[in-house]
C-alpha cells in the first residue's frame, strides 16, 4: 500500500483538485484507492459527494475503525474531513500525536494507494500525513509565494526525514493553473526547476492548464474523467498520473 500526499504551505494551489483527479485516475488505471481528507475545510470529502454530519477523519485519528468512517462514491473509497479537524492541535494528545494516521493505517491493507489531501499549513495534520507518506507531491502555481511555500515545506520534509520517516520521497512539483501564454508562467518555471534541484526532486513535465471543467466537476461531485473526459483538465491529469507512475516504478 503506497501513501501519496498532496501538499503546499500556500492555499489555492490545486492540492484538492489534484488529489481528486489522482484518486479517480488511479481507479481508472485499475488500482484500488482510499482517499483521506485531512483538511478541516472538508473540500475533498464534499467534492467526492460525501455525507455531512457523519464520522470521518477526525474519528479515524481518534481510533475509530475504517468501517465506521468509510464512505464511497462508486469510484474510490474515502474518509471525509470536517471542521473538527481545525481543533486537532488542542484535541489530540501532545505526546505521539504526530503518528496517529500511521497508527490508524496499520489496520488498513485492502488498498493499492492511499491519497491524502492536506491543509495549507505545516501543522499537526500535515505532519501526520508526511510521517506515513511514501511520496509527497507538491502542488504549486506560477507565483513567487508558491515557490517560497515549496522551499518552506522542503525544510519541514527534511525534519520529518530526520525524526520520523527517512523513506519520505518528494515525487515532484506539480504546476497547476498553468498558462503557456503568460510571461509569469515562463519566468517562474526556472525558479521551480532550481527549487526542485535543491530538493533532489523534479518538476513534472506535465503542467495542469487552467480549465473550468475541473471546477465544475467538483461542484457536480463527479470525477473529471466522468464529468468531462475530453477536457484539457482530464487529459492533463491523465498525463501527470502516467508520469508519476513511471517515476514511481523507476524509483521503487
Amino acid at each position: 500500500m503506497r501513501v501519496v500526499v498532496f501538499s503546499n504551505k500556500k492555499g489555492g494551489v490545486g492540492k484538492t483538485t489534484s488529489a481528486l483527479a489522482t484518486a479517480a485516475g488511479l481507479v481508472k488505471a485499475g488500482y484500488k484507492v482510499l482517499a483521506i481528507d485531512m483538511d478541516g475545510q472538508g473540500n475533498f470529502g464534499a467534492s467526492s459527494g460525501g455525507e455531512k454530519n457523519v464520522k470521518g477523519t477526525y474519528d479515524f485519528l481518534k481510533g475509530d475503525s475504517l468501517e465506521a468512517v468509510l464512505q464511497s462514491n462508486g469510484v474510490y473509497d474515502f474518509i471525509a474531513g470536517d471542521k473538527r479537524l481545525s481543533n486537532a492541535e488542542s484535541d489530540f494528545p501532545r505526546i505521539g500525536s504526530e503518528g496517529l494516521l500511521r497508527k490508524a493505517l496499520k489496520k488498513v491493507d485492502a488498498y493499492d494507494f492511499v491519497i491524502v489531501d492536506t491543509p495549507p499549513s505545516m501543522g499537526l495534520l500535515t505532519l501526520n500525513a508526511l510521517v506515513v507518506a511514501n511520496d509527497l507531491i507538491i502542488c504549486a502555481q506560477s507565483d513567487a509565494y508558491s515557490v517560497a511555500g515549496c522551499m518552506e515545506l522542503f525544510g519541514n520534509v527534511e525534519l520529518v526525514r530526520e525524526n520520523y520517516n527517512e523513506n519520505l520521497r518528494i515525487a515532484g512539483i506539480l504546476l497547476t493553473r498553468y498558462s503557456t501564454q503568460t510571461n509569469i508562467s515562463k519566468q517562474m518555471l526556472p525558479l521551480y526547476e532550481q527549487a526542485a534541484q535543491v530538493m533532489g526532486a523534479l518538476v513534472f513535465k506535465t503542467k495542469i492548464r487552467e480549465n473550468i471543467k475541473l471546477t465544475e466537476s467538483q461542484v457536480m461531485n463527479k470525477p473529471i474523467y466522468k464529468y468531462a473526459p475530453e477536457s484539457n483538465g482530464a487529459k492533463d491529469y491523465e498525463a501527470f498520473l502516467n508520469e508519476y507512475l513511471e517515476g514511481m516504478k523507476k524509483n521503487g
Side-chain angles (χ1 to χ4, degrees), residues 104-233:
L105 285 175
K106 283 183 178 179
K107 306 170 188 176
V108 178
D109 60 5
Y111 299 91
D112 301 305
F113 284 91
V114 176
I115 302 298
V116 185
D117 186 29
T118 61
S121 65
M122 190 56 218
L124 178 62
L125 297 170
T126 300
L127 176 58
N128 262 264
L130 296 180
V131 165
V132 76
N134 298 104
D135 294 332
L136 167 64
I137 295 172
I138 302 174
C139 298
Q141 285 181 254
S142 297
D143 61 62
Y145 297 109
S146 285
V147 175
C150 288
M151 293 312 298
E152 288 180 18
L153 181 58
F154 176 59
N156 296 131
V157 167
E158 290 286 79
L159 290 173
V160 171
R161 284 172 173 163
E162 290 174 13
N163 295 284
Y164 304 110
N165 181 5
E166 63 181 13
N167 296 316
L168 174 60
R169 179 178 79 100
I170 301 177
I173 298 173
L174 176 63
L175 296 183
T176 63
R177 297 175 180 172
Y178 191 82
S179 173
T180 56
Q181 307 302 316
T182 61
N183 287 329
I184 187 67
S185 290
K186 297 175 184 176
Q187 292 168 357
M188 295 304 296
L189 183 56
L191 295 180
Y192 279 111
E193 290 173 340
Q194 291 172 19
Q197 189 172 20
V198 171
M199 296 178 189
L202 54 79
V203 177
F204 287 105
K205 293 178 182 178
T206 304
K207 314 295 188 294
I208 309 302
R209 290 168 286 181
E210 185 74 61
N211 185 234
I212 190 62
K213 295 299 181 183
L214 289 167
T215 302
E216 291 176 359
S217 69
Q218 293 180 46
V219 173
M220 299 302 292
N221 304 145
K222 291 183 178 181
I224 187 61
Y225 303 108
K226 288 193 171 186
Y227 179 75
E230 299 303 318
S231 66
N232 286 338

